[in-house]
Amino acid sequence: MIERSEGLSWARGIKVRHLESFLVLDEAGTLTEAAARLHMTQSAMSHWLAELERVAGTPLVVRGRKVQLTPAGHLLKRLAITVLGDIVRTGREMHAVAAGRVPRLNVGSVWAGIAGGLPEAVTAFQQRHVDVAVSIHDGLFDDLLKGLDTRAMDAVIGVLDARAHQPQLAHHVLFDDQVSIVIGQGSKHWHSDQPLGFADVLREQWVMPPLGTLTRIQMDAYLIEQQASWLVPKAETASLAMMQALLHKGDYVGVCAESMADYMASLGLFRKVATDSNIRFGPITVVWNREHVSATLMDFIDCLKAHARGLPAAQVQGALALSGRASVRS
């Protein structure tokens, strides 16, 4: 406690004006030029600097033809940049709140949402809301949904099921997803010119999501349907990055949402394995709390709707135009 008190005692004499003026002095390079920029006399500027050094308890500049910062001066400069930057950002956010806008949105999403239009929606949204930051959090749907109650999340994208049907929650279905079987560049089948089917990879080493996850439940049901319930994965992971690494480095077969499989295939990282029937994943949905709604959030949800996976380009432009008019009306 004593160390903390000593560390704060000098700062009690520092004012925002001190920090602003110190940055002006550093940029100007001379007391004369800094005084002119601050509309002060050189004598007043020298007195101000002496007072600041007294508060700091150490010299901050080396006086000469051109002032140079001492090590302590560099530390104060770093503090000034940090504090003044925070003040400016907070001021902008407070102004936005006063004007009825939200300065930041926190969006949680499972990987299917990230691959199914979320990046495009964020881009379109920020073209219209240049002063709103968007924080994107990926994780398990259950964990993300809890953030809607605590206001840690403004919206969550995941698979529609009973968890989204709570009285305080609203939702909108973005698109319907499937489960895909994929291989990566480490597979012996990667360079094959022949169509690759489920039977070709059935006895390979499989990487699957953990037991109890929706993707695994749907995949296990498909294996039962194909009379392959005996299949035991060699590795289990909920991390897409880990699955991608395994498929890239080793001879494995993986399982993920079709939206992600298509996205990774477009980057040349995955190749999809054909199946004789669709493996349903479920409707990908955006969920939000009815009690924590803002016009900014609804504009963002409009962008999600417009850029949902598989929506034709003409419909995207039409949806954005409609949401833009709705924003103007609100």
Side-chain angles (χ1 to χ4, degrees), residues 246-263:
L246 287 170
L247 267 60
H248 182 75
K249 298 291 186 180
D251 187 9
Y252 292 98
V253 178
V255 177
C256 65
E258 185 179 51
S259 53
M260 182 55 70
D262 288 340
Y263 174 71

Side-chain angles (χ1 to χ4, degrees), residues 29 37 57 68 73 81 88 96 132 147 195 217 231 252 258-261 287 312:
R37 294 186 185 185
Q68 294 182 333
I81 291 172
V88 169
V132 180
I217 291 170
L231 194 156
Y252 292 98
E258 185 179 51
S259 53
M260 182 55 70
V287 186

Side-chain angles (χ1 to χ4, degrees), residues 129-206:
H129 295 270
V130 296
D131 57 342
V132 180
V134 179
S135 296
I136 301 171
H137 312 262
D138 64 84
L140 297 176
F141 193 41
D142 261 339
D143 296 336
L144 296 172
L145 275 181
K146 293 173 185 175
L148 293 177
D149 285 333
T150 63
R151 305 194 74 162
M153 295 291 159
D154 295 293
V156 170
I157 303 170
V159 183
L160 178 64
D161 59 20
R163 292 170 292 182
H165 291 285
Q166 300 178 39
Q168 76 277 20
L169 300 182
H171 69 268
H172 176 85
V173 174
L174 299 172
F175 62 93
D176 199 66
D177 212 354
Q178 310 292 327
V179 174
S180 280
I181 301 170
V182 295
I183 60 169
Q185 295 178 18
S187 170
K188 62 171 139 324
H189 301 288
W190 181 259
H191 296 290
S192 173
D193 294 330
Q194 301 300 316
L196 192 61
F198 176 69
D200 299 314
V201 298
L202 180 57
R203 298 188 179 276
E204 305 289 352
Q205 300 183 108
W206 284 67

